[in-house]
Every structure is written in C-alpha cells, then in structure tokens.
Amino acid sequence: MNSINNKSAFLFFLLLFSSTLISAQEIIKDSVVPSVKKIQTGQRQKIDGVIATVGDYIVLDSDIDKSFLEISSQGGSVKDITRCQMLGKLLEDKLYAHQAIQDSIKVTDSEIKGMMEERLTYILDKVGSMDKVLSMYKKSSEEELRTSFFDILKEQKLASEMTNKIVDGVEITPEEVRNFFKKIPKNELPLFGAEMEVAQIVVTPKVSDAEKQKVIDKLNSFKKEVEEGASFATKAVLYSKDPGSSSNGGYYKMNRKTPFVKEFKDVAFSLQQGEISAPFETTFGFHIIYVEKVKGQEIELRHILLTPSVSEDEIKAAKEKITLIREKIIDKKLTFADAARTESDQKETRANGGALINPNTRDTRFELTKMDPSLYSQVSNLKDDEVSQPILDTDENGRKYYKIITVTNRINEHTADYATDYIKIKELALKEKQIKAIGKWFDTTIKDTYVKILGEYRDCDFTNNWLKK
C-alpha cells in the first residue's frame, strides 16, 4: 500500500521471509573479525569472504548466495532482490539472534531438532533425494548437513523469538484504526479480492467404549514403561498421532495463554516437573503428558496422542445421520444454522451456526484466491443457499468424519470499505504499528551493538543504519 512509506514497506517485506531464509553462520567470541576459526577437529583454517560482523555473529559473502538459493528452492522469485537488500536481511537476523541471547531468550535442542526434521522432509519432497540435497547445499555428508542446519535453525528460532518479544505488546485501538484508514488517499485504497463465508455441519462417527479402552490401556502401558526408564520422546516419535509434535518427540512449550484446548492445559498445569499424567480425553483423542521443566508461568512438556479407531459400520451410521440432517434442511424443517447448533459435532463452529473461521485472518471471510484448495473444491460450485451432499473428510489426526457445507455469503472484489472491511483494515494498521516498533528497536539496538561492514558492501543503501552514519 502506497500510504506506508517505502522504508517500512520494505522492512515488512523482509519480515515475511524471516522463517524461510537459510544462511550459513559462524559464532565468534571477540568484537573484531578474526582471520581464523576453531573447528571441531581442533585444526585451524583461514576464513575467506567475511563481509560483516553483528555482535557475536559474522556474515560471509557466500551466505548471500545461499539465501538466494533457499528462496529459489522454495519456489520464490529473487529477481527483484539485490545483494545489498539480502545482506540487510541477514544483518537483521544476526542482530535479532544476538540480542535474543543478551536478553536470555532460550530455545531448546529438541525444538531445533524438530524444526530440522520438518525442513529436511520438505526439501527432500521437493528435490527427490538426499544426494541432490547435499549437492545443492554443497555438503559432503548428511551428518555435515544436519550440523549446519542445526546452527542455522537455532539462529532463525532465536530471531523469531526476539521478533515476537518486540511486537508482543503492540496493540491497536479503534481510533488508531480509523486514523490509519483516513490517511489513505482514496485512489490508493487497497483492493480486496472476491470472498465468501462458509458454514458446515459435522457428524463424527461414534467410537465404541471398547476401542476407547484399548487406547487408554496402551497409554497406561507407555506411562509404566517410561516410569521404568524408557524414553518418553522416543515413544512419542514412534506412536503419537499429533502431526505437530510427533517428529519432535511430542515437545511443546506453553503458558496459560498458549492456544491449547482447555482440557489439555488443565492437565498440563496440574502436573509437577517430572510427573506423567493419567490418560485423558480431548476432542483430538486421548493423551498422556510428561512435564519436563517448569519455569515460572511457562512449562516444557511432551505428550503422546492416540486416536481410537472406528469401524465401517460406525462410519456408515454417521453418513446416514448427516443425510437425514441435510434432508431436514432441504425440506425447510430446519435452517442450516439451527441444525448446526443442535446437531453438529464440531464445537468450534456449532455455537455460531456452523460458520467457519479463516485460520489466517481469524474472521469468517475466505478470499477465493487464498482459500485452501480442498475447501475451495468443495464449495466453488455451490449456488446460493445450496447444501452440499455429504462429504467424507479426514482431520489433521487422520480421523474420518462426514460434513455438509453451504455458502452463506459472497462478497465481490471491491475497494476497501471501513465498515465492511474493518477487520482487514485493523490488521493492516496493526502491522504498520508493529513495523514502526521494530524500526525503533533497530535504531536503538544498532547503536548499542558492535556492527562492522567490510569492503564494497559499505556502499550499500541499507534500510537500517548499519554503518552508524
């Protein structure tokens, strides 16, 4: 948006890449660029291509090339990004990570290992083989690649945590939103794409008490084995059905504000450090929790999630039930919203008539060009007030369920309107305020941090005052 100045807009653009760029790093202990570095074998070797230092971190010229490579490998375009701009982004990451350490922000090895597994899986899916990945990153072995990735991802995680700390307390008032909108010239108002609002009714196949007991018994056996010396993390990797944590040994770090379901948080915060819970049920299935550390209001835990299996007869019964619900709606015996409130098994949507919430914007609108492809395919051909046929779907934990969907509202492509698009405008205003907060943080922190830019890169026109002019 043109109303946001170029400096802020570019800074925000760079922020969008903070979780995807990979850059090689070395940590140094002195406040000057060294000519040698220690390596694990105890040998010493010459460093070539050091172009910048930020606090305890250095940047190599090759880091810029690797950052371009990373963007390209993920399908991004680098044609409009200069080497100076990329260096500016790398300097930002180093400053974030350096200050995170100064502020005693900690990340655990288990977190980083989980991130590393996810990254390697993603790259392998894209590239096809480990040999190609090693060639792309110029590594001689998978062990060398993993060691490099660990350091890189740890720096990225520190940078992410530092960014979150900076913007965490930034809030926006309705008056600030109004003033933000008023400042935008009419001919520069953003154009919002076509959107729709969608509602659904879900019927989940019932699980027999016998199947539930099988899962409870299995979790109790895991608990006993861990209490006798087995690794909880290994059990989670092998057996947990939680896609968000299983590869990471079931690890989560949370406080009371972390958005977990109430039942999970209630159990987690009732445990002492080192304690394992009894099996308990949430909407996701059955869990056991092991609390690793308690740090004030924050806990580090691992959990194992198991989901009971359902029989074909139970799946068939769910289809029959949702078919009857659909017939009542078609016959005008029930409105879709009333049916959702009384018949749907989905707690998240039941209270508001089945209306889906966009996970990216937290409102009820879905922009068609950004809608999840599977959802778009289910609703794109529905006419106004039409109710879909029963759809067999699978949730993130692999559990089957039936649903029916309807489109409750369509919004054509339009120029931003304050009343109609308040939530989107509020988000834009908040982002601008966060950008300003980050810019102010950079101005202050750069002044108090050792920064050195070498060679031709001193001629770069940086967004931030890295040269302290």
Side-chain angles (χ1 to χ4, degrees):
M1 183 162 27
N2 293 337
S3 62
I4 299 178
N5 64 56
N6 291 334
K7 177 179 177 179
S8 295
F10 181 66
L11 176 59
F12 180 59
F13 162 77
L14 292 181
L15 287 173
L16 297 179
F17 285 93
S18 64
S19 63
T20 57
L21 291 178
I22 283 187
S23 57
Q25 65 141 35
E26 303 292 344
I27 299 178
I28 60 176
K29 298 302 180 184
D30 301 318
S31 59
V32 294
V33 178
S35 59
V36 293
K37 70 170 184 178
K38 288 187 177 181
I39 56 179
Q40 290 180 348
T41 60
Q43 298 173 334
R44 299 169 75 83
Q45 67 181 38
K46 181 179 179 182
I47 294 182
D48 291 322
V50 175
I51 58 174
T53 306
V54 179
D56 290 335
Y57 292 89
I58 64 173
V59 183
L60 307 178
D61 195 38
S62 60
D63 293 349
I64 297 177
D65 300 316
K66 291 174 182 177
S67 295
F68 280 121
L69 172 65
E70 182 65 16
I71 294 175
S72 299
S73 71
Q74 297 190 33
S77 173
V78 298
K79 66 178 183 178
D80 295 324
I81 305 175
T82 68
R83 293 185 72 81
C84 283
Q85 289 171 341
M86 189 63 77
L87 174 59
K89 175 62 180 67
L90 294 177
L91 294 173
E92 290 177 10
D93 284 347
K94 305 302 182 187
L95 185 62
Y96 280 134
H98 172 77
Q99 193 59 43
I101 293 173
Q102 306 308 306
D103 290 358
S104 300
I105 294 175
K106 299 186 183 301
V107 297
T108 64
D109 287 355
S110 56
E111 286 181 276
I112 306 305
K113 287 176 182 177
M115 292 170 61
M116 181 170 60
E117 293 302 327
E118 291 176 6
R119 178 62 61 88
L120 282 175
T121 299
Y122 175 84
I123 295 173
L124 280 169
D125 288 343
K126 292 289 184 181
V127 177
S129 71
M130 181 56 71
D131 286 341
K132 291 181 179 178
V133 175
L134 294 176
S135 176
M136 184 170 72
Y137 287 98
K138 296 181 173 58
K139 301 297 179 183
S140 60
S141 67
E142 182 176 342
E143 181 180 0
E144 183 184 359
L145 178 69
R146 286 178 176 273
T147 299
S148 174
F149 266 28
F150 184 91
D151 292 338
I152 292 163
L153 292 173
K154 186 170 185 177
E155 179 189 321
Q156 289 183 349
K157 182 65 174 176
L158 284 168
S160 174
E161 293 292 326
M162 191 68 238
T163 306
N164 291 339
K165 180 178 178 180
I166 296 166
V167 302
D168 187 51
V170 179
E171 297 179 345
I172 196 87
T173 67
E175 184 64 23
E176 288 175 312
V177 178
R178 188 179 299 107
N179 291 335
F180 169 84
F181 186 73
K182 285 180 178 179
K183 288 190 300 183
I184 306 174
K186 286 189 176 181
N187 63 342
E188 295 180 10
L189 287 170
L191 187 68
F192 293 134
E195 299 171 305
M196 64 170 58
E197 294 178 310
V198 180
Q200 69 180 22
I201 296 172
V202 170
V203 173
T204 304
K206 303 303 178 187
V207 180
S208 68
D209 290 339
E211 287 297 326
K212 289 183 179 181
Q213 192 59 48
K214 284 182 183 178
V215 169
I216 292 171
D217 291 344
K218 189 71 173 176
L219 289 172
N220 275 322
S221 72
F222 290 160
K223 178 180 179 181
K224 182 179 179 182
E225 289 169 17
V226 171
E227 290 172 341
E228 293 174 350
S231 167
F232 194 102
T234 300
K235 296 287 185 186
V237 170
L238 293 174
Y239 301 108
S240 181
K241 300 301 181 182
D242 177 15
S245 71
S246 59
S247 64
N248 196 19
Y251 177 88
Y252 282 117
K253 180 167 65 175
M254 61 185 288
N255 56 45
R256 292 192 180 275
K257 294 183 179 180
T258 307
F260 281 70
V261 293
K262 182 180 183 301
E263 298 91 341
F264 191 95
K265 288 203 289 188
D266 286 347
V267 173
F269 285 99
S270 71
L271 299 172
Q272 301 297 316
Q273 183 168 306
E275 190 176 0
I276 304 174
S277 74
F280 65 96
E281 187 176 11
T282 72
T283 54
F284 297 99
F286 288 84
H287 313 250
I288 54 172
I289 292 175
Y290 166 56
V291 173
E292 284 193 337
K293 292 182 181 178
V294 178
K295 299 178 180 178
Q297 299 300 310
E298 190 173 71
I299 60 175
E300 295 182 24
L301 60 82
R302 296 183 186 276
H303 88 120
I304 298 172
L305 167 68
L306 296 182
T307 54
S309 60
V310 294
S311 68
E312 289 300 318
D313 286 343
E314 290 160 343
I315 294 173
K316 182 180 178 181
K319 183 178 182 180
E320 291 173 352
K321 179 179 177 180
I322 205 164
T323 299
L324 289 174
I325 294 171
R326 181 178 183 274
E327 288 174 357
K328 290 180 181 179
I329 296 169
I330 298 298
D331 293 340
K332 308 295 184 184
K333 295 178 181 178
L334 273 177
T335 65
F336 194 99
D338 287 341
R341 293 186 185 98
T342 58
E343 304 289 347
S344 182
D345 290 330
Q346 189 175 53
K347 287 184 178 180
E348 298 85 353
T349 61
R350 187 167 58 202
N352 55 353
L356 290 179
I357 301 299
N358 187 328
N360 298 318
T361 62
R362 306 310 303 167
D363 66 6
T364 56
R365 294 185 181 184
F366 291 82
E367 189 170 341
L368 300 191
T369 58
K370 299 177 182 178
M371 184 179 283
D372 178 82
S374 61
L375 178 60
Y376 180 79
S377 68
Q378 293 166 358
V379 300
S380 58
N381 294 323
L382 290 177
K383 299 176 182 178
D384 291 345
D385 298 323
E386 182 181 0
V387 180
S388 73
Q389 293 292 330
I391 300 168
L392 181 61
D393 212 336
T394 305
D395 67 15
E396 64 273 16
N397 295 309
R399 297 177 301 181
K400 294 180 180 179
Y401 64 92
Y402 271 99
K403 67 181 180 182
I404 52 176
I405 301 179
T406 189
V407 177
T408 58
N409 190 23
R410 299 179 194 272
I411 302 98
N412 294 326
E413 183 179 82
H414 63 284
T415 300
D417 174 78
Y418 183 76
T420 305
D421 303 301
Y422 178 80
I423 292 178
K424 287 187 176 64
I425 295 165
K426 178 183 177 182
E427 186 66 24
L428 290 173
L430 178 61
K431 285 179 180 176
E432 183 185 61
K433 191 172 181 181
Q434 289 173 336
I435 289 167
K436 289 179 179 178
I438 290 172
K440 184 177 180 181
W441 180 87
F442 271 113
D443 290 342
T444 301
T445 310
I446 288 173
K447 291 177 183 177
D448 298 332
T449 305
Y450 175 81
V451 179
K452 187 171 184 178
I453 313 294
L454 301 176
E456 62 187 30
Y457 291 102
R458 292 186 61 82
D459 297 327
C460 289
D461 183 18
F462 292 114
T463 302
N464 295 302
N465 187 25
W466 296 111
L467 299 173
K468 302 186 180 182
K469 294 181 179 178

PDB file of all heavy atoms in Angstrom, residues 7 97 129 137 175 234 249 265 272 278 287 318 343 358 449 460:
ATOM      1  N   LYS A   7      10.424   2.684   3.327  1.00  0.00           N
ATOM      2  CA  LYS A   7      11.281   2.028   4.311  1.00  0.00           C
ATOM      3  C   LYS A   7      10.503   0.993   5.103  1.00  0.00           C
ATOM      4  O   LYS A   7      10.929  -0.143   5.255  1.00  0.00           O
ATOM      5  CB  LYS A   7      11.880   3.065   5.243  1.00  0.00           C
ATOM      6  CG  LYS A   7      12.734   2.456   6.370  1.00  0.00           C
ATOM      7  CD  LYS A   7      13.325   3.530   7.238  1.00  0.00           C
ATOM      8  CE  LYS A   7      14.118   2.915   8.389  1.00  0.00           C
ATOM      9  NZ  LYS A   7      14.728   3.933   9.244  1.00  0.00           N
ATOM     10  N   ALA A  97      19.176 -12.443  16.652  1.00  0.00           N
ATOM     11  CA  ALA A  97      19.717 -13.586  17.384  1.00  0.00           C
ATOM     12  C   ALA A  97      20.680 -13.129  18.475  1.00  0.00           C
ATOM     13  O   ALA A  97      20.648 -13.645  19.604  1.00  0.00           O
ATOM     14  CB  ALA A  97      20.412 -14.533  16.417  1.00  0.00           C
ATOM     15  N   SER A 129      16.003 -36.573  -3.505  1.00  0.00           N
ATOM     16  CA  SER A 129      16.946 -37.494  -2.878  1.00  0.00           C
ATOM     17  C   SER A 129      17.927 -36.723  -2.012  1.00  0.00           C
ATOM     18  O   SER A 129      18.187 -35.540  -2.237  1.00  0.00           O
ATOM     19  CB  SER A 129      17.716 -38.281  -3.945  1.00  0.00           C
ATOM     20  OG  SER A 129      18.637 -37.448  -4.626  1.00  0.00           O
ATOM     21  N   TYR A 137      23.375 -27.960  -1.260  1.00  0.00           N
ATOM     22  CA  TYR A 137      23.937 -27.195  -0.148  1.00  0.00           C
ATOM     23  C   TYR A 137      25.451 -27.369  -0.004  1.00  0.00           C
ATOM     24  O   TYR A 137      26.031 -26.901   0.968  1.00  0.00           O
ATOM     25  CB  TYR A 137      23.239 -27.569   1.159  1.00  0.00           C
ATOM     26  CG  TYR A 137      21.841 -27.010   1.241  1.00  0.00           C
ATOM     27  CD1 TYR A 137      20.745 -27.793   0.923  1.00  0.00           C
ATOM     28  CD2 TYR A 137      21.626 -25.684   1.594  1.00  0.00           C
ATOM     29  CE1 TYR A 137      19.447 -27.268   0.968  1.00  0.00           C
ATOM     30  CE2 TYR A 137      20.346 -25.165   1.655  1.00  0.00           C
ATOM     31  CZ  TYR A 137      19.267 -25.961   1.339  1.00  0.00           C
ATOM     32  OH  TYR A 137      17.991 -25.440   1.386  1.00  0.00           O
ATOM     33  N   GLU A 175      -9.579   3.951  17.482  1.00  0.00           N
ATOM     34  CA  GLU A 175      -9.273   5.295  16.996  1.00  0.00           C
ATOM     35  C   GLU A 175      -8.046   5.279  16.087  1.00  0.00           C
ATOM     36  O   GLU A 175      -8.015   5.966  15.058  1.00  0.00           O
ATOM     37  CB  GLU A 175      -9.025   6.226  18.184  1.00  0.00           C
ATOM     38  CG  GLU A 175      -8.789   7.684  17.802  1.00  0.00           C
ATOM     39  CD  GLU A 175      -9.998   8.331  17.132  1.00  0.00           C
ATOM     40  OE1 GLU A 175     -11.144   7.844  17.333  1.00  0.00           O
ATOM     41  OE2 GLU A 175      -9.802   9.321  16.404  1.00  0.00           O
ATOM     42  N   THR A 234      11.003 -40.918  22.605  1.00  0.00           N
ATOM     43  CA  THR A 234      11.018 -41.988  21.591  1.00  0.00           C
ATOM     44  C   THR A 234       9.628 -42.572  21.391  1.00  0.00           C
ATOM     45  O   THR A 234       9.207 -42.833  20.255  1.00  0.00           O
ATOM     46  CB  THR A 234      12.004 -43.096  22.014  1.00  0.00           C
ATOM     47  OG1 THR A 234      13.313 -42.530  22.136  1.00  0.00           O
ATOM     48  CG2 THR A 234      12.024 -44.217  20.993  1.00  0.00           C
ATOM     49  N   GLY A 249       9.356 -35.522  19.213  1.00  0.00           N
ATOM     50  CA  GLY A 249       9.266 -36.208  20.491  1.00  0.00           C
ATOM     51  C   GLY A 249       8.119 -35.756  21.357  1.00  0.00           C
ATOM     52  O   GLY A 249       8.161 -35.884  22.584  1.00  0.00           O
ATOM     53  N   LYS A 265      -4.674 -27.989  28.744  1.00  0.00           N
ATOM     54  CA  LYS A 265      -3.989 -27.054  29.632  1.00  0.00           C
ATOM     55  C   LYS A 265      -4.271 -27.359  31.098  1.00  0.00           C
ATOM     56  O   LYS A 265      -3.388 -27.237  31.954  1.00  0.00           O
ATOM     57  CB  LYS A 265      -4.384 -25.617  29.291  1.00  0.00           C
ATOM     58  CG  LYS A 265      -3.797 -25.128  27.981  1.00  0.00           C
ATOM     59  CD  LYS A 265      -3.698 -23.620  27.913  1.00  0.00           C
ATOM     60  CE  LYS A 265      -5.033 -22.960  27.788  1.00  0.00           C
ATOM     61  NZ  LYS A 265      -4.881 -21.488  27.524  1.00  0.00           N
ATOM     62  N   GLN A 272       3.430 -31.688  38.302  1.00  0.00           N
ATOM     63  CA  GLN A 272       4.723 -31.221  38.785  1.00  0.00           C
ATOM     64  C   GLN A 272       5.807 -31.623  37.784  1.00  0.00           C
ATOM     65  O   GLN A 272       5.614 -32.506  36.943  1.00  0.00           O
ATOM     66  CB  GLN A 272       5.043 -31.840  40.153  1.00  0.00           C
ATOM     67  CG  GLN A 272       4.030 -31.523  41.225  1.00  0.00           C
ATOM     68  CD  GLN A 272       3.947 -30.040  41.529  1.00  0.00           C
ATOM     69  OE1 GLN A 272       4.973 -29.357  41.652  1.00  0.00           O
ATOM     70  NE2 GLN A 272       2.738 -29.526  41.660  1.00  0.00           N
ATOM     71  N   ALA A 278      -2.199 -39.271  33.965  1.00  0.00           N
ATOM     72  CA  ALA A 278      -3.023 -40.405  33.555  1.00  0.00           C
ATOM     73  C   ALA A 278      -3.606 -40.080  32.174  1.00  0.00           C
ATOM     74  O   ALA A 278      -3.649 -38.926  31.761  1.00  0.00           O
ATOM     75  CB  ALA A 278      -4.140 -40.632  34.571  1.00  0.00           C
ATOM     76  N   HIS A 287      -4.690 -38.554  25.472  1.00  0.00           N
ATOM     77  CA  HIS A 287      -3.318 -38.096  25.672  1.00  0.00           C
ATOM     78  C   HIS A 287      -2.752 -38.589  26.992  1.00  0.00           C
ATOM     79  O   HIS A 287      -3.492 -38.887  27.929  1.00  0.00           O
ATOM     80  CB  HIS A 287      -3.244 -36.557  25.748  1.00  0.00           C
ATOM     81  CG  HIS A 287      -3.991 -35.817  24.705  1.00  0.00           C
ATOM     82  ND1 HIS A 287      -3.377 -35.103  23.698  1.00  0.00           N
ATOM     83  CD2 HIS A 287      -5.332 -35.629  24.513  1.00  0.00           C
ATOM     84  CE1 HIS A 287      -4.291 -34.518  22.939  1.00  0.00           C
ATOM     85  NE2 HIS A 287      -5.477 -34.824  23.419  1.00  0.00           N
ATOM     86  N   ALA A 318     -22.733 -42.601  10.636  1.00  0.00           N
ATOM     87  CA  ALA A 318     -22.512 -41.159  10.596  1.00  0.00           C
ATOM     88  C   ALA A 318     -23.036 -40.573   9.283  1.00  0.00           C
ATOM     89  O   ALA A 318     -23.642 -39.490   9.272  1.00  0.00           O
ATOM     90  CB  ALA A 318     -21.025 -40.857  10.754  1.00  0.00           C
ATOM     91  N   GLU A 343     -27.146 -30.140  16.009  1.00  0.00           N
ATOM     92  CA  GLU A 343     -26.764 -31.456  15.505  1.00  0.00           C
ATOM     93  C   GLU A 343     -25.267 -31.633  15.237  1.00  0.00           C
ATOM     94  O   GLU A 343     -24.768 -32.753  15.197  1.00  0.00           O
ATOM     95  CB  GLU A 343     -27.520 -31.758  14.192  1.00  0.00           C
ATOM     96  CG  GLU A 343     -29.026 -31.677  14.298  1.00  0.00           C
ATOM     97  CD  GLU A 343     -29.624 -32.820  15.106  1.00  0.00           C
ATOM     98  OE1 GLU A 343     -28.896 -33.800  15.380  1.00  0.00           O
ATOM     99  OE2 GLU A 343     -30.805 -32.750  15.477  1.00  0.00           O
ATOM    100  N   ASN A 358     -11.667 -18.309   9.263  1.00  0.00           N
ATOM    101  CA  ASN A 358     -10.448 -18.339   8.465  1.00  0.00           C
ATOM    102  C   ASN A 358      -9.244 -18.371   9.410  1.00  0.00           C
ATOM    103  O   ASN A 358      -9.054 -17.441  10.189  1.00  0.00           O
ATOM    104  CB  ASN A 358     -10.391 -17.093   7.570  1.00  0.00           C
ATOM    105  CG  ASN A 358      -9.245 -17.135   6.585  1.00  0.00           C
ATOM    106  OD1 ASN A 358      -8.187 -17.683   6.857  1.00  0.00           O
ATOM    107  ND2 ASN A 358      -9.443 -16.536   5.429  1.00  0.00           N
ATOM    108  N   THR A 449      25.233  -1.982  19.683  1.00  0.00           N
ATOM    109  CA  THR A 449      25.795  -3.270  19.275  1.00  0.00           C
ATOM    110  C   THR A 449      26.985  -3.057  18.347  1.00  0.00           C
ATOM    111  O   THR A 449      26.952  -2.168  17.490  1.00  0.00           O
ATOM    112  CB  THR A 449      24.727  -4.126  18.565  1.00  0.00           C
ATOM    113  OG1 THR A 449      23.581  -4.265  19.402  1.00  0.00           O
ATOM    114  CG2 THR A 449      25.269  -5.517  18.230  1.00  0.00           C
ATOM    115  N   CYS A 460      26.430   0.068   0.191  1.00  0.00           N
ATOM    116  CA  CYS A 460      25.009  -0.279   0.100  1.00  0.00           C
ATOM    117  C   CYS A 460      24.149   0.799   0.753  1.00  0.00           C
ATOM    118  O   CYS A 460      24.542   1.412   1.756  1.00  0.00           O
ATOM    119  CB  CYS A 460      24.730  -1.619   0.785  1.00  0.00           C
ATOM    120  SG  CYS A 460      25.367  -3.064  -0.095  1.00  0.00           S
TER     121      CYS A 460
END
